[in-house]
Amino acid sequence: MRNKNEPERTSEEQLFKQLEKYPRQKLHKEDVERVTEMVRDYQGKIKAHLHEQQEKKTNRWDRMADHVAVLAGSWWFVTASAVTITVWMLVNSERNSLFILSFSLSILSLFQSTLIQKSQNRQAAKDKQEQMLDIAINYKAEQENLEIQQNLKELEVKLQWIELRLSARSRAKSRPGRTKAPRARQK
């Protein structure tokens, strides 16, 4: 049975195998783009899963608050409200009528502001979770960078040690008169 993440691993493994083949060559633009795409895909899947979990927790009242916030923030709503108020004032200019208009707008703004605040609180919670996810991914990337730097330092030390050994060996070979005499065979 194949895992749905198997093609991604295969792609990653292929990239690493290619990089191991040519350790002294620089990364091609296509390789960098492939790695970047893998990271974006990984982050996208996590964010999609996060949004899916948030939607499961959302009830219909929360969704209604989101729709009200979207509607109240649109130019369509602003225009429709302005036209409605203007028409009301032109048609019904008596004192009682303006009192009813004012009272209706107060009630509308009370419920609208409450629903918009509810929606903003939910959005703030979503943003906080996404921010925590971004921090976690950045922390993981920083840890991997530090690990890579440590490995590079260790490789550098090993290379310096090999270079010293090779230079000492070449100096020993280049000194005249310091050749070892062959040992006599013992029986």
Side-chain angles (χ1 to χ4, degrees):
M1 188 170 170
R2 289 182 62 172
N3 186 358
K4 65 180 180 180
N5 292 332
E6 191 174 0
E8 294 169 19
R9 289 184 186 149
T10 306
S11 178
E12 291 173 6
E13 289 172 6
Q14 289 174 352
L15 178 63
F16 288 125
K17 285 179 183 178
Q18 289 174 2
L19 293 175
E20 287 173 358
K21 275 189 210 175
Y22 309 105
R24 293 182 185 199
Q25 288 184 345
K26 291 185 178 180
L27 288 175
H28 295 296
K29 185 177 180 180
E30 297 86 27
D31 294 331
V32 173
E33 289 172 357
R34 282 175 50 197
V35 171
T36 304
E37 186 60 34
M38 280 188 250
V39 169
R40 282 190 193 133
D41 187 41
Y42 178 71
Q43 287 177 335
K45 286 181 181 178
I46 291 175
K47 287 186 179 182
H49 178 70
L50 182 65
H51 288 295
E52 182 180 310
Q53 293 300 319
Q54 289 169 343
E55 287 302 316
K56 285 181 181 178
K57 293 178 185 177
T58 304
N59 60 29
R60 75 179 153 158
W61 297 109
D62 290 335
R63 283 191 287 276
M64 184 185 75
D66 290 341
H67 291 301
V68 167
V70 169
L71 177 68
S74 68
W75 282 110
W76 181 89
F77 181 78
V78 172
T79 306
S81 297
V83 168
T84 303
I85 291 169
T86 304
V87 168
W88 181 284
M89 290 174 62
L90 291 175
V91 172
N92 301 324
S93 60
E94 54 192 61
R95 186 175 169 97
N96 266 351
S97 177
L98 293 178
F99 175 75
I100 292 171
L101 175 65
S102 175
F103 181 73
S104 299
L105 290 176
S106 296
I107 297 295
L108 175 69
S109 65
L110 171 75
F111 287 112
Q112 186 180 11
S113 64
T114 303
L115 292 174
I116 290 172
Q117 186 64 44
K118 176 79 172 151
S119 179
Q120 286 178 341
N121 289 343
R122 279 183 9 86
Q123 187 62 44
K126 281 183 182 180
D127 292 344
K128 184 176 182 180
Q129 285 183 333
E130 286 185 19
Q131 183 182 25
M132 289 171 58
L133 174 66
D134 289 341
I135 289 171
I137 290 171
N138 290 341
Y139 177 76
K140 178 69 176 160
E142 181 67 26
Q143 293 302 314
E144 289 174 357
N145 284 341
L146 292 173
E147 186 177 313
I148 289 170
Q149 286 178 355
Q150 182 64 32
N151 289 340
L152 287 173
K153 287 178 184 176
E154 290 172 8
L155 286 173
E156 186 177 358
V157 168
K158 287 178 183 178
L159 283 173
Q160 288 175 351
W161 183 81
I162 290 171
E163 287 174 350
L164 285 173
R165 298 280 297 183
L166 288 174
S167 65
R169 204 180 265 176
S170 67
R171 280 185 294 198
K173 286 183 180 180
S174 66
R175 290 185 189 162
R178 299 278 308 194
T179 58
K180 295 182 181 179
R183 292 185 181 177
R185 288 179 93 181
Q186 295 178 353
K187 290 187 180 182

